[in-house]
Amino acid sequence: MLKFTPILLAVLYALVMYRFSVWRLKGELDQKSTELADPMLRTLCDRMAAALNLPRIRVHIYEVAPINGLAAPDGRIFITRGFYKAFREGKVSADELASVIAHELGHVALGHSRRRMIDFSGQNALRTAMAMVLSRFLPGIGVLIANGLTSLLAARLSRSDEYEADAYAAALLTKAGIGIAPQITLFEKLEALTQSNSGAAPAWLMSHPKTTERIAALRSLDAKWTKD
């Protein structure tokens, strides 16, 4: 029984961390967000809602400075104040910001946002269990090995999710008559935008596919759809 104790403790830790993470994130978003009311962006959201046969798409502004988008586990979509500020300053077009919203909708529709929270808790549990076991045989470096292996797993899952959300967004934007061009131009702008924003990189540039690879995947999809 004792040999399984680290695993059982890790599973319990994962469950507690999942519940706590969801609760903490919801509280943070509730306190620091308001519903998006910009008429131009609302019009684009209405076009995407019509393409999805939905009455409307609610988007919220998360009051933080980094340029980013977020799909919460409860299905809500957020863009940061920093991203909205870039739009208001003319650095990002309405169509480009709509592509961010479409991308986050993809994470919700495909179950990524909820699964990521579970994965995050599970990865912490796996890291803890592996560190306990490996440290018995490799004192001093067991923790480093556990951290490295779980980081590789997280990066692989994240890259897959991003490609899937990109494809979902491309299909939605095409159906809504917006097209994939805004996705591509936004990707081309993001690195420069985040460097001018205190170097705070958005989630889709951290441990994710290279921007050039994502653009290539989008162009491949567009060529396939045009051919068909």
Side-chain angles (χ1 to χ4, degrees):
M1 178 65 183
L2 289 177
K3 67 174 64 176
F4 294 109
T5 299
I7 297 175
L8 294 175
L9 289 174
V11 171
L12 179 61
Y13 172 75
L15 291 173
V16 172
M17 282 302 299
Y18 171 70
R19 294 294 183 184
F20 175 72
S21 298
V22 170
W23 172 79
R24 184 175 61 178
L25 178 60
K26 184 179 184 303
E28 169 82 6
L29 294 174
D30 287 345
Q31 292 176 12
K32 295 185 178 180
S33 67
T34 54
E35 188 168 351
L36 176 68
D38 186 280
M40 187 179 298
L41 294 174
R42 285 280 3 133
T43 297
L44 291 172
C45 286
D46 288 344
R47 287 170 61 180
M48 290 191 288
L52 292 170
N53 294 318
L54 295 175
R56 69 176 303 192
I57 293 172
R58 292 182 182 273
V59 180
H60 298 78
I61 295 182
Y62 182 26
E63 299 292 343
V64 294
I67 292 177
N68 211 338
L70 171 68
D74 60 11
R76 288 182 293 172
I77 302 298
F78 296 83
I79 56 173
T80 62
R81 175 61 66 180
F83 228 147
Y84 184 67
K85 183 173 180 285
F87 161 67
R88 297 291 294 175
E89 292 174 348
K91 297 176 182 177
V92 175
S93 72
D95 286 354
E96 287 169 341
L97 203 51
S99 77
V100 177
I101 295 168
H103 177 91
E104 300 306 329
L105 283 169
H107 282 312
V108 172
L110 298 169
H112 297 162
S113 50
R114 184 177 294 274
R115 195 191 73 206
R116 279 182 176 183
M117 189 66 75
I118 297 172
D119 286 347
F120 174 74
S121 302
Q123 286 155 18
N124 279 339
L126 179 62
R127 182 184 291 111
T128 300
M130 288 178 63
M132 288 179 179
V133 174
L134 291 175
S135 292
R136 294 182 179 180
F137 303 98
L138 301 168
I141 64 171
V143 173
L144 296 177
I145 294 174
N147 287 340
L149 290 175
T150 50
S151 295
L152 287 174
L153 174 62
R156 182 173 182 179
L157 291 172
S158 180
R159 285 193 295 269
S160 175
D161 285 354
E162 293 307 307
Y163 278 125
E164 290 179 1
D166 285 349
Y168 180 97
L172 174 55
L173 292 167
T174 299
K175 188 174 181 180
I178 299 170
I180 71 164
Q183 280 181 286
I184 293 174
T185 56
L186 181 62
F187 278 137
E188 293 170 341
K189 292 178 180 180
L190 271 179
E191 188 170 354
L193 281 171
T194 54
Q195 286 176 349
S196 66
N197 194 54
S198 303
W204 52 13
L205 291 182
M206 298 172 62
S207 301
H208 286 22
K210 293 180 180 179
T211 301
T212 53
E213 294 175 355
R214 298 177 76 172
I215 291 174
L218 287 172
R219 286 179 171 154
S220 177
L221 276 176
D222 188 46
K224 179 182 177 181
W225 293 338
T226 302
K227 182 179 179 180
D228 293 342

